[in-house]
Amino acid sequence: MNKATKTIPRILKDNICTVFNLLNVIIAVMLAYVGAFKNLLFITIVMTNTVVGIIQEIKAKKQIEKLSLQSRPHTTLLKGGIEEVVTPEKIRTGDILLLYSGASVCTDCTVVTGSVEVDESIVTGESEPVTHHPGDTILAGCSIISGKSTAKALCESSACFTSRMVDEVKKTDVAKSELITSMSKVTKLTGFIIVPLGILLFIQSFAVRHSTLSEAVVATSAGLLGMLPKGLVLLISIGLATGVINLSRKHVLVRELNSIENLAHCNILCLDKTGTLTEGSLKVEKVSMEIDKNEFNKLLSTYIKHTDDNNSTFKAVKHYFTAASSYEIVSTTPFSSERKYSTVALKDGRTLVLGAPEKLTCNISSDVMQLMKKGRRILYVGICNTNEITPRNITLAGKIVLSDVLRKNASESVKYFKNQDVEIKVISGDNPVAASCIAGQCSIKNNDNYIDVSGLDGESLEQAAVKYTIFGRVTPEKKRIIVRALQKNNNKVAMTGDGVNDLLALRQADCSIAMGNGSDAAKQTAELVLLDSDFGVLKDVISEGRRVINNMTKSAGVFFIKTIYSVLLCILCLFFNRDFPFIPIQITLIDAVIEAFPAFFMSFEKNDRKVEGTFLRNAITSALPDSIAIFACCLVFLLISPALSINELQCNLLMYLSVGFISLAAVAKSCMPFNSLRLFLCLSSIIMFTGAVIIMAPFLQLAALTGSLLLPMAAVIIPGIIFSLLFKKI
């Protein structure tokens, strides 16, 4: 089923109806009530941030929906014996659907003919495949693993069981984002602090100091506005939305905004060999026959004519062998990733078996092993004369050698991930020797460290997941166990896949990626779809995610300075029984030229440095030195002002300049190492703030900077700036 994007009303609601906006509106109403209209300028920043955030998210939504048309599932209907491929919304009750391996079930239906193995994990949570026969009901959202059948639609796709569930829970792209989760924590903490501090500041100013109502509201509002990191949440949304738009130009469908961020956190990338490292277009390279050629061709014609297989191996075999006469059959068993073989029971009592060498023979010959070491896929063809399909009961009829083409940019992409400290593991259903060879051709580190996991389970498989690099003969459930075992060892795991055998692992992974030429089921499960099936574009996805996280962390380090020092100054003012030293218009200047201006433009800059630590911890530890420096300078000015005959307005000016210049030092730190853009942004912030303080002092209600204030200003603020520059984190 499609993962729906947010509706436009939902986007409007999420951007407008936030706790930060509510607090800002309450403050604005109070200021308007007392006629302090000049101090309402901050609301324009809030409105601008909100509008820009809405526009970017709507643009991202349109890009996602546009690319989704290329990735949406299709269903094959049988009408009068003619197959017709349609989109899910065109299914009507009573239509006959054709179900085959790799297809997504787009509406609830009842099996009419044939049998299919179905992955129902997305609906029931059970990982084991379930075989459905005529009369059984299959729910929408399931995926066909193997087999072929016809089924009768019980309803339209919009009325199916899964759609009703989605409507009930209103499932959209919320939740796994560390950035958004961290900001939710900040919102809750700020909301918890701001109300009691606001009440205490107002009572102190109005009731204890006997200030006018207007003065009390203005002073209290300034303190509360300083605690709100205005625009940071919207800046994060803009950053993620911009990433979606940039990746859409590279034909990457991002189903969830936070998936870009999730991939950037991943330190292990699990790849499926076929369709990811290779193009997945198998072709028959050589055929070795152990029986008469005509008999062999007749057996293969029987398989091609009657099997329900629909995988790449079947397509290659069908393309290679010309039509010939065939045997009458009794039944077929389609290939599955669990069995590793398919069968056709002939009417004469024999059973034709095609599958992996280790499933059809007890001893694999040296020449076959050599071919596997060269990356070839070997398909054994055998005859079994009993009902028990075991290697001892199978007589080899021939061997089919298949080859696949390595993707052009596979080696280059592997090199990129290696340089970025992203460990690569190959999890394949193929023979581990063949998978190791392909991994070696791509220069994957430790490609000779491979294992056949067909005999492993439980704890032994979990231990192998950590120890080995290449995994062969992996079933769908074991793929999930390997991913889960890696996660248990404190790893963030991304998984790529293109088939139904990858579904369980894709759902388990921290970030799931599907190839555009893969099955509908894989594309509907994954958070990211590479529509051109270009594995190399993954480095662009990681780069976008790291750009967002690293740039937002740097910007948050500046935003949180004001939040921290505002809380500390409010407590200091309560202790010294004085009004908050600043007014809202002064806070707005800092919001605009020190926080918002450089952060907005820096958020678009490339920054693919490896993500280390967590967003909130990094941002707060980055902001602490500057906040402490500001608090210390303000405290010193409060203590020395009486001795130096500095009045309250002059003291407020010195405290304001402490805030401004130390915050500018923090901007300079976030811009290092300088390039032309970052140097321009840093110098512009300095010039705009300094110019505004000098030119617009009356408008900002700042005291004049007289010569007598220069010495104490320099003596206190310069050490604060030095402290700020020396300590990047605490």
Side-chain angles (χ1 to χ4, degrees), residues 217-251:
V217 168
V218 169
T220 302
S221 297
L224 302 186
L225 284 172
M227 298 180 204
L228 301 174
K230 290 184 287 297
L232 188 55
V233 174
L234 290 169
L235 198 62
I236 291 171
S237 296
I238 290 170
L240 291 171
T242 301
V244 171
I245 294 168
N246 291 340
L247 290 173
S248 70
R249 298 190 181 106
K250 298 180 182 293
H251 288 189

PDB file of all heavy atoms in Angstrom, residues 217-251:
ATOM      1  N   VAL A 217       4.604  43.934  31.503  1.00  0.00           N
ATOM      2  CA  VAL A 217       4.336  43.020  30.382  1.00  0.00           C
ATOM      3  C   VAL A 217       5.502  43.003  29.406  1.00  0.00           C
ATOM      4  O   VAL A 217       5.942  41.939  28.950  1.00  0.00           O
ATOM      5  CB  VAL A 217       3.032  43.424  29.660  1.00  0.00           C
ATOM      6  CG1 VAL A 217       2.898  42.673  28.326  1.00  0.00           C
ATOM      7  CG2 VAL A 217       1.833  43.129  30.541  1.00  0.00           C
ATOM      8  N   VAL A 218       6.058  44.186  29.073  1.00  0.00           N
ATOM      9  CA  VAL A 218       7.173  44.267  28.119  1.00  0.00           C
ATOM     10  C   VAL A 218       8.406  43.541  28.668  1.00  0.00           C
ATOM     11  O   VAL A 218       9.055  42.757  27.956  1.00  0.00           O
ATOM     12  CB  VAL A 218       7.498  45.737  27.796  1.00  0.00           C
ATOM     13  CG1 VAL A 218       8.810  45.834  27.021  1.00  0.00           C
ATOM     14  CG2 VAL A 218       6.370  46.370  26.996  1.00  0.00           C
ATOM     15  N   ALA A 219       8.749  43.796  29.923  1.00  0.00           N
ATOM     16  CA  ALA A 219       9.936  43.151  30.520  1.00  0.00           C
ATOM     17  C   ALA A 219       9.762  41.636  30.604  1.00  0.00           C
ATOM     18  O   ALA A 219      10.679  40.873  30.283  1.00  0.00           O
ATOM     19  CB  ALA A 219      10.194  43.738  31.905  1.00  0.00           C
ATOM     20  N   THR A 220       8.575  41.219  31.050  1.00  0.00           N
ATOM     21  CA  THR A 220       8.314  39.780  31.167  1.00  0.00           C
ATOM     22  C   THR A 220       8.329  39.112  29.792  1.00  0.00           C
ATOM     23  O   THR A 220       8.894  38.019  29.612  1.00  0.00           O
ATOM     24  CB  THR A 220       6.958  39.532  31.845  1.00  0.00           C
ATOM     25  OG1 THR A 220       6.950  40.160  33.130  1.00  0.00           O
ATOM     26  CG2 THR A 220       6.694  38.044  32.000  1.00  0.00           C
ATOM     27  N   SER A 221       7.730  39.773  28.797  1.00  0.00           N
ATOM     28  CA  SER A 221       7.681  39.220  27.437  1.00  0.00           C
ATOM     29  C   SER A 221       9.072  39.001  26.866  1.00  0.00           C
ATOM     30  O   SER A 221       9.338  37.991  26.198  1.00  0.00           O
ATOM     31  CB  SER A 221       6.875  40.144  26.515  1.00  0.00           C
ATOM     32  OG  SER A 221       5.539  40.244  26.947  1.00  0.00           O
ATOM     33  N   ALA A 222       9.976  39.944  27.103  1.00  0.00           N
ATOM     34  CA  ALA A 222      11.337  39.823  26.589  1.00  0.00           C
ATOM     35  C   ALA A 222      12.031  38.594  27.162  1.00  0.00           C
ATOM     36  O   ALA A 222      12.713  37.853  26.441  1.00  0.00           O
ATOM     37  CB  ALA A 222      12.133  41.081  26.915  1.00  0.00           C
ATOM     38  N   GLY A 223      11.862  38.373  28.452  1.00  0.00           N
ATOM     39  CA  GLY A 223      12.474  37.208  29.084  1.00  0.00           C
ATOM     40  C   GLY A 223      11.926  35.911  28.517  1.00  0.00           C
ATOM     41  O   GLY A 223      12.674  34.954  28.256  1.00  0.00           O
ATOM     42  N   LEU A 224      10.624  35.867  28.289  1.00  0.00           N
ATOM     43  CA  LEU A 224      10.001  34.649  27.762  1.00  0.00           C
ATOM     44  C   LEU A 224      10.353  34.429  26.294  1.00  0.00           C
ATOM     45  O   LEU A 224      10.580  33.297  25.868  1.00  0.00           O
ATOM     46  CB  LEU A 224       8.481  34.732  27.925  1.00  0.00           C
ATOM     47  CG  LEU A 224       7.964  34.935  29.361  1.00  0.00           C
ATOM     48  CD1 LEU A 224       6.449  34.851  29.390  1.00  0.00           C
ATOM     49  CD2 LEU A 224       8.561  33.890  30.301  1.00  0.00           C
ATOM     50  N   LEU A 225      10.402  35.499  25.512  1.00  0.00           N
ATOM     51  CA  LEU A 225      10.763  35.371  24.095  1.00  0.00           C
ATOM     52  C   LEU A 225      12.179  34.831  23.924  1.00  0.00           C
ATOM     53  O   LEU A 225      12.467  34.074  22.993  1.00  0.00           O
ATOM     54  CB  LEU A 225      10.644  36.727  23.388  1.00  0.00           C
ATOM     55  CG  LEU A 225       9.229  37.207  23.061  1.00  0.00           C
ATOM     56  CD1 LEU A 225       9.257  38.635  22.538  1.00  0.00           C
ATOM     57  CD2 LEU A 225       8.585  36.284  22.023  1.00  0.00           C
ATOM     58  N   GLY A 226      13.060  35.231  24.842  1.00  0.00           N
ATOM     59  CA  GLY A 226      14.438  34.752  24.763  1.00  0.00           C
ATOM     60  C   GLY A 226      14.556  33.253  24.953  1.00  0.00           C
ATOM     61  O   GLY A 226      15.477  32.619  24.440  1.00  0.00           O
ATOM     62  N   MET A 227      13.621  32.663  25.693  1.00  0.00           N
ATOM     63  CA  MET A 227      13.678  31.215  25.946  1.00  0.00           C
ATOM     64  C   MET A 227      13.221  30.403  24.743  1.00  0.00           C
ATOM     65  O   MET A 227      13.490  29.199  24.668  1.00  0.00           O
ATOM     66  CB  MET A 227      12.788  30.861  27.141  1.00  0.00           C
ATOM     67  CG  MET A 227      13.211  31.502  28.447  1.00  0.00           C
ATOM     68  SD  MET A 227      12.062  31.006  29.766  1.00  0.00           S
ATOM     69  CE  MET A 227      12.281  32.378  30.901  1.00  0.00           C
ATOM     70  N   LEU A 228      12.506  31.011  23.803  1.00  0.00           N
ATOM     71  CA  LEU A 228      11.943  30.269  22.670  1.00  0.00           C
ATOM     72  C   LEU A 228      12.913  30.261  21.493  1.00  0.00           C
ATOM     73  O   LEU A 228      13.218  31.316  20.946  1.00  0.00           O
ATOM     74  CB  LEU A 228      10.617  30.898  22.230  1.00  0.00           C
ATOM     75  CG  LEU A 228       9.512  30.963  23.293  1.00  0.00           C
ATOM     76  CD1 LEU A 228       8.317  31.729  22.753  1.00  0.00           C
ATOM     77  CD2 LEU A 228       9.095  29.562  23.716  1.00  0.00           C
ATOM     78  N   PRO A 229      13.404  29.066  21.079  1.00  0.00           N
ATOM     79  CA  PRO A 229      14.274  28.997  19.894  1.00  0.00           C
ATOM     80  C   PRO A 229      13.434  29.125  18.627  1.00  0.00           C
ATOM     81  O   PRO A 229      13.210  28.166  17.892  1.00  0.00           O
ATOM     82  CB  PRO A 229      14.925  27.616  20.023  1.00  0.00           C
ATOM     83  CG  PRO A 229      13.946  26.803  20.798  1.00  0.00           C
ATOM     84  CD  PRO A 229      13.223  27.749  21.714  1.00  0.00           C
ATOM     85  N   LYS A 230      12.940  30.334  18.396  1.00  0.00           N
ATOM     86  CA  LYS A 230      12.005  30.576  17.297  1.00  0.00           C
ATOM     87  C   LYS A 230      12.601  30.153  15.954  1.00  0.00           C
ATOM     88  O   LYS A 230      13.715  30.501  15.617  1.00  0.00           O
ATOM     89  CB  LYS A 230      11.622  32.056  17.256  1.00  0.00           C
ATOM     90  CG  LYS A 230      10.741  32.495  18.413  1.00  0.00           C
ATOM     91  CD  LYS A 230      10.306  33.933  18.291  1.00  0.00           C
ATOM     92  CE  LYS A 230      11.423  34.915  18.565  1.00  0.00           C
ATOM     93  NZ  LYS A 230      11.933  34.816  19.931  1.00  0.00           N
ATOM     94  N   GLY A 231      11.834  29.425  15.197  1.00  0.00           N
ATOM     95  CA  GLY A 231      12.235  29.079  13.839  1.00  0.00           C
ATOM     96  C   GLY A 231      13.061  27.822  13.709  1.00  0.00           C
ATOM     97  O   GLY A 231      13.248  27.331  12.593  1.00  0.00           O
ATOM     98  N   LEU A 232      13.562  27.273  14.810  1.00  0.00           N
ATOM     99  CA  LEU A 232      14.452  26.121  14.686  1.00  0.00           C
ATOM    100  C   LEU A 232      13.713  24.880  14.188  1.00  0.00           C
ATOM    101  O   LEU A 232      14.215  24.149  13.331  1.00  0.00           O
ATOM    102  CB  LEU A 232      15.144  25.827  16.021  1.00  0.00           C
ATOM    103  CG  LEU A 232      16.251  24.769  15.980  1.00  0.00           C
ATOM    104  CD1 LEU A 232      17.304  25.116  14.946  1.00  0.00           C
ATOM    105  CD2 LEU A 232      16.885  24.614  17.353  1.00  0.00           C
ATOM    106  N   VAL A 233      12.505  24.643  14.713  1.00  0.00           N
ATOM    107  CA  VAL A 233      11.711  23.495  14.255  1.00  0.00           C
ATOM    108  C   VAL A 233      11.396  23.639  12.771  1.00  0.00           C
ATOM    109  O   VAL A 233      11.530  22.688  11.985  1.00  0.00           O
ATOM    110  CB  VAL A 233      10.409  23.362  15.064  1.00  0.00           C
ATOM    111  CG1 VAL A 233       9.528  22.262  14.495  1.00  0.00           C
ATOM    112  CG2 VAL A 233      10.717  23.085  16.524  1.00  0.00           C
ATOM    113  N   LEU A 234      10.985  24.834  12.377  1.00  0.00           N
ATOM    114  CA  LEU A 234      10.658  25.063  10.972  1.00  0.00           C
ATOM    115  C   LEU A 234      11.909  24.988  10.098  1.00  0.00           C
ATOM    116  O   LEU A 234      11.850  24.529   8.955  1.00  0.00           O
ATOM    117  CB  LEU A 234       9.979  26.426  10.818  1.00  0.00           C
ATOM    118  CG  LEU A 234       8.573  26.501  11.415  1.00  0.00           C
ATOM    119  CD1 LEU A 234       8.087  27.931  11.463  1.00  0.00           C
ATOM    120  CD2 LEU A 234       7.611  25.638  10.635  1.00  0.00           C
ATOM    121  N   LEU A 235      13.050  25.417  10.634  1.00  0.00           N
ATOM    122  CA  LEU A 235      14.301  25.325   9.886  1.00  0.00           C
ATOM    123  C   LEU A 235      14.657  23.870   9.610  1.00  0.00           C
ATOM    124  O   LEU A 235      15.154  23.526   8.529  1.00  0.00           O
ATOM    125  CB  LEU A 235      15.431  26.006  10.672  1.00  0.00           C
ATOM    126  CG  LEU A 235      16.701  26.376   9.878  1.00  0.00           C
ATOM    127  CD1 LEU A 235      16.371  27.368   8.781  1.00  0.00           C
ATOM    128  CD2 LEU A 235      17.749  26.952  10.814  1.00  0.00           C
ATOM    129  N   ILE A 236      14.391  23.001  10.589  1.00  0.00           N
ATOM    130  CA  ILE A 236      14.627  21.565  10.403  1.00  0.00           C
ATOM    131  C   ILE A 236      13.710  21.020   9.313  1.00  0.00           C
ATOM    132  O   ILE A 236      14.146  20.270   8.428  1.00  0.00           O
ATOM    133  CB  ILE A 236      14.409  20.807  11.733  1.00  0.00           C
ATOM    134  CG1 ILE A 236      15.523  21.160  12.729  1.00  0.00           C
ATOM    135  CG2 ILE A 236      14.367  19.301  11.500  1.00  0.00           C
ATOM    136  CD1 ILE A 236      15.286  20.639  14.132  1.00  0.00           C
ATOM    137  N   SER A 237      12.438  21.404   9.364  1.00  0.00           N
ATOM    138  CA  SER A 237      11.478  20.944   8.352  1.00  0.00           C
ATOM    139  C   SER A 237      11.877  21.423   6.963  1.00  0.00           C
ATOM    140  O   SER A 237      11.791  20.679   5.980  1.00  0.00           O
ATOM    141  CB  SER A 237      10.063  21.442   8.680  1.00  0.00           C
ATOM    142  OG  SER A 237       9.610  20.888   9.897  1.00  0.00           O
ATOM    143  N   ILE A 238      12.344  22.672   6.891  1.00  0.00           N
ATOM    144  CA  ILE A 238      12.790  23.223   5.608  1.00  0.00           C
ATOM    145  C   ILE A 238      13.996  22.440   5.100  1.00  0.00           C
ATOM    146  O   ILE A 238      14.097  22.113   3.910  1.00  0.00           O
ATOM    147  CB  ILE A 238      13.133  24.722   5.755  1.00  0.00           C
ATOM    148  CG1 ILE A 238      11.857  25.535   5.976  1.00  0.00           C
ATOM    149  CG2 ILE A 238      13.873  25.238   4.511  1.00  0.00           C
ATOM    150  CD1 ILE A 238      12.118  26.980   6.381  1.00  0.00           C
ATOM    151  N   GLY A 239      14.920  22.127   6.010  1.00  0.00           N
ATOM    152  CA  GLY A 239      16.115  21.383   5.622  1.00  0.00           C
ATOM    153  C   GLY A 239      15.770  20.013   5.064  1.00  0.00           C
ATOM    154  O   GLY A 239      16.303  19.596   4.025  1.00  0.00           O
ATOM    155  N   LEU A 240      14.866  19.296   5.733  1.00  0.00           N
ATOM    156  CA  LEU A 240      14.459  17.965   5.271  1.00  0.00           C
ATOM    157  C   LEU A 240      13.679  18.056   3.958  1.00  0.00           C
ATOM    158  O   LEU A 240      13.888  17.245   3.044  1.00  0.00           O
ATOM    159  CB  LEU A 240      13.607  17.279   6.343  1.00  0.00           C
ATOM    160  CG  LEU A 240      14.347  16.859   7.621  1.00  0.00           C
ATOM    161  CD1 LEU A 240      13.356  16.393   8.679  1.00  0.00           C
ATOM    162  CD2 LEU A 240      15.359  15.765   7.338  1.00  0.00           C
ATOM    163  N   ALA A 241      12.798  19.048   3.867  1.00  0.00           N
ATOM    164  CA  ALA A 241      12.004  19.215   2.647  1.00  0.00           C
ATOM    165  C   ALA A 241      12.905  19.552   1.459  1.00  0.00           C
ATOM    166  O   ALA A 241      12.695  19.065   0.343  1.00  0.00           O
ATOM    167  CB  ALA A 241      10.957  20.311   2.840  1.00  0.00           C
ATOM    168  N   THR A 242      13.920  20.373   1.702  1.00  0.00           N
ATOM    169  CA  THR A 242      14.876  20.717   0.643  1.00  0.00           C
ATOM    170  C   THR A 242      15.620  19.472   0.183  1.00  0.00           C
ATOM    171  O   THR A 242      15.888  19.287  -1.007  1.00  0.00           O
ATOM    172  CB  THR A 242      15.878  21.770   1.147  1.00  0.00           C
ATOM    173  OG1 THR A 242      15.166  22.931   1.556  1.00  0.00           O
ATOM    174  CG2 THR A 242      16.869  22.150   0.051  1.00  0.00           C
ATOM    175  N   GLY A 243      15.943  18.588   1.153  1.00  0.00           N
ATOM    176  CA  GLY A 243      16.598  17.331   0.810  1.00  0.00           C
ATOM    177  C   GLY A 243      15.733  16.479  -0.100  1.00  0.00           C
ATOM    178  O   GLY A 243      16.225  15.881  -1.068  1.00  0.00           O
ATOM    179  N   VAL A 244      14.435  16.425   0.181  1.00  0.00           N
ATOM    180  CA  VAL A 244      13.501  15.662  -0.654  1.00  0.00           C
ATOM    181  C   VAL A 244      13.486  16.216  -2.074  1.00  0.00           C
ATOM    182  O   VAL A 244      13.532  15.472  -3.056  1.00  0.00           O
ATOM    183  CB  VAL A 244      12.082  15.702  -0.055  1.00  0.00           C
ATOM    184  CG1 VAL A 244      11.061  15.106  -1.029  1.00  0.00           C
ATOM    185  CG2 VAL A 244      12.039  14.947   1.260  1.00  0.00           C
ATOM    186  N   ILE A 245      13.436  17.546  -2.172  1.00  0.00           N
ATOM    187  CA  ILE A 245      13.389  18.188  -3.493  1.00  0.00           C
ATOM    188  C   ILE A 245      14.682  17.937  -4.258  1.00  0.00           C
ATOM    189  O   ILE A 245      14.664  17.615  -5.459  1.00  0.00           O
ATOM    190  CB  ILE A 245      13.130  19.707  -3.329  1.00  0.00           C
ATOM    191  CG1 ILE A 245      11.724  19.933  -2.750  1.00  0.00           C
ATOM    192  CG2 ILE A 245      13.272  20.427  -4.663  1.00  0.00           C
ATOM    193  CD1 ILE A 245      11.472  21.346  -2.272  1.00  0.00           C
ATOM    194  N   ASN A 246      15.831  18.052  -3.580  1.00  0.00           N
ATOM    195  CA  ASN A 246      17.124  17.814  -4.241  1.00  0.00           C
ATOM    196  C   ASN A 246      17.234  16.374  -4.732  1.00  0.00           C
ATOM    197  O   ASN A 246      17.713  16.118  -5.845  1.00  0.00           O
ATOM    198  CB  ASN A 246      18.278  18.119  -3.282  1.00  0.00           C
ATOM    199  CG  ASN A 246      18.407  19.600  -2.978  1.00  0.00           C
ATOM    200  OD1 ASN A 246      17.899  20.443  -3.729  1.00  0.00           O
ATOM    201  ND2 ASN A 246      19.083  19.938  -1.903  1.00  0.00           N
ATOM    202  N   LEU A 247      16.803  15.428  -3.905  1.00  0.00           N
ATOM    203  CA  LEU A 247      16.916  14.011  -4.282  1.00  0.00           C
ATOM    204  C   LEU A 247      15.928  13.639  -5.375  1.00  0.00           C
ATOM    205  O   LEU A 247      16.195  12.736  -6.176  1.00  0.00           O
ATOM    206  CB  LEU A 247      16.705  13.126  -3.050  1.00  0.00           C
ATOM    207  CG  LEU A 247      17.828  13.176  -2.005  1.00  0.00           C
ATOM    208  CD1 LEU A 247      17.445  12.393  -0.761  1.00  0.00           C
ATOM    209  CD2 LEU A 247      19.128  12.638  -2.590  1.00  0.00           C
ATOM    210  N   SER A 248      14.790  14.326  -5.420  1.00  0.00           N
ATOM    211  CA  SER A 248      13.813  14.028  -6.468  1.00  0.00           C
ATOM    212  C   SER A 248      14.401  14.323  -7.847  1.00  0.00           C
ATOM    213  O   SER A 248      14.045  13.670  -8.833  1.00  0.00           O
ATOM    214  CB  SER A 248      12.533  14.841  -6.259  1.00  0.00           C
ATOM    215  OG  SER A 248      12.749  16.219  -6.508  1.00  0.00           O
ATOM    216  N   ARG A 249      15.311  15.297  -7.905  1.00  0.00           N
ATOM    217  CA  ARG A 249      15.968  15.619  -9.175  1.00  0.00           C
ATOM    218  C   ARG A 249      16.905  14.497  -9.615  1.00  0.00           C
ATOM    219  O   ARG A 249      17.290  14.418 -10.778  1.00  0.00           O
ATOM    220  CB  ARG A 249      16.739  16.932  -9.046  1.00  0.00           C
ATOM    221  CG  ARG A 249      15.852  18.141  -8.730  1.00  0.00           C
ATOM    222  CD  ARG A 249      16.610  19.441  -8.847  1.00  0.00           C
ATOM    223  NE  ARG A 249      15.763  20.574  -8.519  1.00  0.00           N
ATOM    224  CZ  ARG A 249      15.847  21.272  -7.395  1.00  0.00           C
ATOM    225  NH1 ARG A 249      16.758  20.959  -6.494  1.00  0.00           N
ATOM    226  NH2 ARG A 249      15.037  22.282  -7.162  1.00  0.00           N
ATOM    227  N   LYS A 250      17.292  13.646  -8.663  1.00  0.00           N
ATOM    228  CA  LYS A 250      18.130  12.483  -8.969  1.00  0.00           C
ATOM    229  C   LYS A 250      17.293  11.209  -9.037  1.00  0.00           C
ATOM    230  O   LYS A 250      17.824  10.101  -8.980  1.00  0.00           O
ATOM    231  CB  LYS A 250      19.226  12.348  -7.913  1.00  0.00           C
ATOM    232  CG  LYS A 250      20.175  13.543  -7.862  1.00  0.00           C
ATOM    233  CD  LYS A 250      21.244  13.352  -6.796  1.00  0.00           C
ATOM    234  CE  LYS A 250      22.157  14.567  -6.721  1.00  0.00           C
ATOM    235  NZ  LYS A 250      22.975  14.718  -7.942  1.00  0.00           N
ATOM    236  N   HIS A 251      15.980  11.376  -9.125  1.00  0.00           N
ATOM    237  CA  HIS A 251      15.026  10.269  -9.242  1.00  0.00           C
ATOM    238  C   HIS A 251      15.072   9.336  -8.042  1.00  0.00           C
ATOM    239  O   HIS A 251      15.057   8.111  -8.179  1.00  0.00           O
ATOM    240  CB  HIS A 251      15.273   9.492 -10.538  1.00  0.00           C
ATOM    241  CG  HIS A 251      14.849  10.251 -11.761  1.00  0.00           C
ATOM    242  ND1 HIS A 251      14.814   9.690 -13.014  1.00  0.00           N
ATOM    243  CD2 HIS A 251      14.446  11.538 -11.931  1.00  0.00           C
ATOM    244  CE1 HIS A 251      14.405  10.577 -13.893  1.00  0.00           C
ATOM    245  NE2 HIS A 251      14.172  11.712 -13.252  1.00  0.00           N
TER     246      HIS A 251
END
